[in-house]
């Protein structure tokens, strides 16, 4: 269950808090109810974020040596930072992703998506299949993020490969050979980030000016290149796949009776790209009547919380605008709530607006497939064709 939690049937019964062992025998406390997940996220004194980026599969010595050879370090910066430096780092990232700056990218992104949709429509009309992940969604969030934080020109494919490698290295069940290969890929890109962190402008320059040491600048950029774009491209693919199977919702969008923003929120509730997140108990405590010892790994099942019948009217149905739809925890909650939520929402809204007409009359040739992973969906493709 831990590594394919999105495949759990919507109606499957789970206790509010359950003890589940992972592939290496480590026991985790899995929290399923919306109220309890939110309680943990908003109580950083009792449940710390220190383990948020810990490798689920312990990294063997050989892979650690590879990382050390690349001078790889991942100090607490954003998601795994429960210390005094977190608010200052977060404030600088929030400024780079300010809603006004995000809104200023909308017309540029709309034009880009419109051009891609035109090309995809021509391909479909000619009888050829189209991959809405590779041909549309995969790199869009990275292109927008690069403009917002002033990333240097870099091969998009290399950045995407690094981001997926990082998600696999830290959150997937792996064998030693795969860990070794991933450690080399992640380590090599870490070198590129170090060079940019030392000289780059935008967010990197702002972090340096604020007095943050080089490792912190690199760590912030490392996490942002994963959380700031890879998760959104995953969500765009998952949302388009969901919309392909929701003709009534598409009809409402085209008629103007269903709001794009409501579709995005319902998509975040039912198809979140981040399905779980972790905390570690800092003290002995009790959660939902279950005793929790200090040091316990707590896995917050965000996707299941979004389907909590105590929170949403029709938990398993895609009903944009329904009661409770916007109370999802796809962006977390509390001091570590995703600082790029408005960016992700804007990108998803543009894609829904532009792509919905394209989905009428298409057949799904290959639905998205997601590899085993504790936290991230990581769809690989979404292929459609006409008729």
């Amino acid at each position: 269950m831990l590594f394919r939690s999105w495949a759990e049937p919507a109606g499957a019964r789970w206790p509010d808090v359950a003890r589940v062992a992972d592939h290496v025998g480590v026991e985790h406390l899995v929290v399923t109810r919306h109220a309890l997940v939110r309680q943990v996220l908003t109580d950083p004194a009792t449940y710390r974020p220190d383990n948020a980026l810990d490798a689920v599969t312990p990294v063997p010595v050989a892979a650690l040596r590879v990382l050390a050879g690349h001078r790889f370090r991942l100090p607490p910066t954003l998601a795994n930072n429960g210390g005094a430096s977190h608010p200052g780092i977060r404030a600088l990232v929030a400024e780079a992703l300010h809603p006004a700056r995000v809104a200023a990218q909308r017309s540029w992104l709309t034009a880009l998506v419109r051009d891609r949709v035109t090309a995809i429509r021509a391909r479909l009309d000619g009888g050829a299949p189209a991959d809405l992940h590779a041909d549309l969604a995969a790199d869009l969030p990275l292109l927008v993020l690069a403009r917002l934080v002033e990333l240097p020109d870099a091969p998009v494919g290399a950045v995407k490969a690094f981001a997926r490698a990082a998600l696999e290295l830290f959150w997937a069940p792996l064998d030693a050979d795969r860990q070794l290969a991933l450690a080399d890929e992640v380590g090599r890109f870490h070198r590129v980030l170090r060079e940019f962190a030392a000289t780059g402008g935008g967010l990197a320059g702002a972090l340096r000016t604020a007095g943050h040491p080089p490792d912190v600048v690199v760590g912030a950029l490392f996490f942002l290149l994963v959380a700031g774009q890879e998760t959104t491209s995953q969500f765009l693919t998952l949302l388009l796949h969901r919309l392909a199977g929701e003709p009534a919702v598409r009809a409402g969008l085209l008629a103007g009776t269903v709001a794009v923003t409501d579709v995005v929120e319902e998509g975040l509730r039912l198809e979140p790209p981040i399905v779980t997140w972790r905390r570690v108990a800092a003290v002995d405590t009790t959660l939902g009547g279950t005793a929790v010892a200090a040091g316990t790994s707590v896995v917050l099942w965000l996707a299941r919380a979004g389907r909590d019948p105590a929170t949403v009217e029709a938990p398993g149905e895609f009903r944009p605008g329904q009661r409770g739809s916007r109370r999802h925890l796809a962006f977390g909650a509390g001091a570590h709530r995703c600082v790029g939520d408005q960016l992700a929402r804007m990108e998803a809204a543009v894609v829904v607006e532009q792509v919905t007409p394209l989905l009428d009359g298409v057949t799904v040739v290959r639905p998205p497939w997601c590899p085993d992973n504790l936290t991230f969906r990581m769809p690989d493709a979404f292929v459609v064709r006409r008729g």
Side-chain angles (χ1 to χ4, degrees), residues 60 63 174-184:
L174 301 167
D175 61 35
D177 288 343
R178 184 60 179 161
Q179 285 175 302
L180 204 60
L182 290 169
D184 186 54

Side-chain angles (χ1 to χ4, degrees), residues 11-245:
R13 297 185 64 84
W14 272 80
D16 295 356
V17 180
R19 298 187 186 278
V20 179
D22 66 18
H23 63 305
V24 294
V26 175
E27 187 177 83
H28 306 268
L29 211 60
V30 178
V31 186
T32 67
R33 295 306 293 268
H34 184 281
L36 294 178
V37 171
R38 185 174 181 82
Q39 177 185 332
V40 172
L41 287 171
T42 56
D43 183 1
T46 305
Y47 303 98
R48 292 185 56 82
D50 305 20
N51 65 338
L53 307 187
D54 288 356
V56 174
T57 304
V59 181
V61 171
L64 288 174
R65 285 176 178 155
V66 169
L67 290 172
H70 289 293
R71 292 172 49 203
F72 177 89
R73 289 192 68 238
L74 202 57
T77 54
L78 292 167
N80 62 338
N81 190 354
S85 66
H86 176 255
I89 299 171
R90 179 182 172 87
L92 292 172
V93 176
E95 180 61 29
L97 305 182
H98 190 279
R101 301 192 69 211
V102 167
Q105 300 299 320
R106 186 163 189 146
S107 61
W108 172 83
L109 179 62
T110 299
L112 177 59
V113 174
R114 188 179 293 131
D115 287 346
R116 292 189 177 187
V117 168
T118 298
I120 291 170
R121 180 178 287 110
R123 193 175 311 145
L124 293 173
D125 290 346
D131 185 342
L132 298 186
H133 175 71
D135 299 337
L136 176 70
D139 66 343
L140 284 177
L142 174 58
L143 297 177
V144 180
L145 183 68
R147 292 166 65 93
L148 287 169
V149 304
E150 299 181 30
L151 292 174
D153 291 337
V156 170
V159 179
K160 297 295 292 184
F162 146 72
R164 291 181 73 90
L167 295 185
E168 189 179 351
L169 179 61
F170 293 107
W171 285 279
L174 301 167
D175 61 35
D177 288 343
R178 184 60 179 161
Q179 285 175 302
L180 204 60
L182 290 169
D184 186 54
E185 185 166 4
V186 170
R188 279 187 286 109
F189 195 84
H190 193 267
R191 288 175 178 259
V192 176
L193 281 181
R194 286 204 307 274
E195 294 172 6
F196 172 61
T199 60
L203 178 59
L207 288 164
R208 290 197 313 272
T209 300
H212 293 291
D215 280 348
V216 168
V217 181
V218 174
L221 293 172
F222 184 99
F223 184 73
L224 197 60
L225 279 174
V226 174
Q229 60 88 22
E230 186 62 31
T231 54
T232 306
S233 68
Q234 293 171 20
F235 174 57
L236 296 179
T237 300
L238 296 167
L239 179 57
L240 290 177
H241 177 243
R242 183 75 189 221
L243 277 177

